Amino acid sequence: MEKDNPTISIIMPVNNAEVFLAESIDSIIAQTFTDWELIVIDDSSTDRSRAIAQGYAERDARIRVVSNTHEKGLAGSLNCGLSHVRGAYIARADGDDINVPERLQIEYNYLQSHPSIDIVGSWYE
């Protein structure tokens, strides 16, 4: 029996990211840590971003798409995403980020073994 809430909620604000979005979502799906939900916040994209994200959501119940009724920008989209999270931890990803498969597992393990730490980040390539 599955539990109701995922351990990690990933918020992904998207605005006209169709060129990279599928690869970015694929990198979340490929995570070695699998107890997550992905909340894609479409910030009034005029390209195929929403349709791409919705296609993934139809195939994977861990993915949800929320559409802003008007463009809110990055901060507004992140705040919108926060209102939809169900996880104990919150992670960020952008629509053009390619996440290494171990990202969530490494971050989760670190936070679990260091309870006085509230936030972690990583470098990029």
Side-chain angles (χ1 to χ4, degrees), residues 13-28:
V14 171
N15 183 274
N16 295 331
E18 75 175 326
V19 173
F20 302 106
L21 187 56
E23 190 175 4
S24 183
I25 294 173
D26 285 340
S27 77
I28 298 295

Side-chain angles (χ1 to χ4, degrees), residues 9 14 16 18 29 50-53 74-75 108 113 115 122:
S9 295
V14 171
N16 295 331
E18 75 175 326
I29 292 170
R50 185 181 190 295
I52 292 166
L74 179 60
Y108 175 78
S113 63
S122 59

Side-chain angles (χ1 to χ4, degrees), residues 56-72:
Y56 277 92
E58 290 169 5
R59 296 186 303 273
D60 191 326
R62 299 174 297 176
I63 301 172
R64 291 184 287 142
V65 179
V66 176
S67 295
N68 292 338
T69 56
H70 63 280
E71 194 168 325
K72 294 182 179 185

